Amino acid sequence: DVQLVESGGGSVQAGGSLRLSCAGSGYFNRMCMAWFRQAPGKEREGVAAMYIGGARTWYAVSVKGRFTISQDNARNTVRLQMNSLKPEDTAMYYCAAVAGLWPCRLYRSEYNCWGQGTQVTVS
């Protein structure tokens, strides 16, 4: 089983950048990895996803062009580079994983492994 630990959250002013990391333990290949976020009082929504072992990525419309998901195979890590941050990006960000899914859609119900989350606040 894969275990996920997020890091890199924090507070930033609008227009700034943050980079989140998700470190995975266990088998870390041929699976979908994704970032979701949940703001207070709102549903958890998919932000970005990628297929580990390939180059394909998927993004929510709200973050496309501003966020970039990438992998570091040597360290079993998936990153989310967030640029041009907006106050509406404020949320708890979660890393998620699932094996055997293609394409890597951004539906919460399709992921079965989750990290504890890291808070991002944009003011």
Side-chain angles (χ1 to χ4, degrees):
D1 291 344
V2 174
Q3 293 184 338
L4 306 173
V5 178
E6 302 97 334
S7 62
S11 297
V12 65
Q13 291 187 339
S17 299
L18 283 174
R19 188 175 73 170
L20 306 183
S21 294
C22 174
S25 62
Y27 184 71
F28 201 77
N29 201 10
R30 301 187 184 279
M31 61 174 53
C32 290
M33 296 289 296
W35 287 94
F36 287 75
R37 67 186 181 186
Q38 188 167 16
K42 294 189 177 181
E43 295 290 321
R44 191 172 297 188
E45 62 174 356
V47 173
M50 71 180 305
Y51 186 73
I52 301 300
R56 187 74 189 274
T57 57
W58 292 261
Y59 295 95
V61 172
S62 59
V63 306
K64 199 168 187 179
R66 301 188 297 122
F67 291 11
T68 303
I69 188 170
S70 62
Q71 65 182 88
D72 181 346
N73 285 339
R75 299 183 180 182
N76 274 15
T77 298
V78 171
R79 294 189 172 89
L80 184 68
Q81 178 67 41
M82 305 185 294
N83 298 328
S84 301
L85 283 162
K86 304 175 181 179
E88 51 262 45
D89 294 318
T90 295
M92 185 71 79
Y93 283 70
Y94 298 90
C95 181
V98 63
L101 177 67
W102 179 266
C104 299
R105 297 178 298 189
L106 293 172
Y107 298 143
R108 176 183 181 177
S109 60
E110 294 186 339
Y111 290 79
N112 57 12
C113 182
W114 293 84
Q116 293 301 307
T118 185
Q119 178 68 37
V120 171
T121 302
V122 185
S123 60

